[in-house]
Amino acid sequence: MGRVLSCCGMNKLQRHLSRKIREFRTGFRCKCGVPSCCNHGLSQGELARAIGVAPNTVSRWETGTYWPTAYDIFNLAEYLQVPVSDFFLPQKEIKN
């Protein structure tokens, strides 16, 4: 599942990762062409089902309770059609 973090234990990377997962999920637009399907983001449950994790797992990633595994990040990137690198801080921010 991933490492459990306390709210106070979230570091810069975890906050960034949590925000990016929520941003990509809520901004997701599929390419099926059906307006009722394509004009809204995904719910946490919809994303969870699509990538094969428990529904509350996405919520826990977004709140920083759990870290997604590398495999989870790969599945998120593939399904949400974004590069894996978009989930991580830019190099310049890591150094600061």
Side-chain angles (χ1 to χ4, degrees), residues 11-44:
N11 63 30
K12 193 175 188 179
L13 173 60
Q14 182 63 33
R15 284 190 303 275
H16 178 81
L17 182 57
S18 295
R19 279 190 224 117
K20 294 306 276 186
I21 292 170
R22 175 172 284 145
E23 175 188 321
F24 293 141
R25 176 183 61 78
T26 59
F28 179 75
R29 302 293 181 261
C30 72
K31 300 194 182 349
C32 73
V34 178
S36 62
C37 176
C38 300
N39 293 329
H40 65 86
L42 297 168
S43 71
Q44 291 174 338

Side-chain angles (χ1 to χ4, degrees), residues 47-67:
L47 179 57
R49 281 187 294 282
I51 64 169
V53 298
N56 61 347
T57 299
V58 175
S59 172
R60 290 175 178 170
W61 292 338
E62 290 182 0
T63 60
T65 305
Y66 289 117
W67 287 85

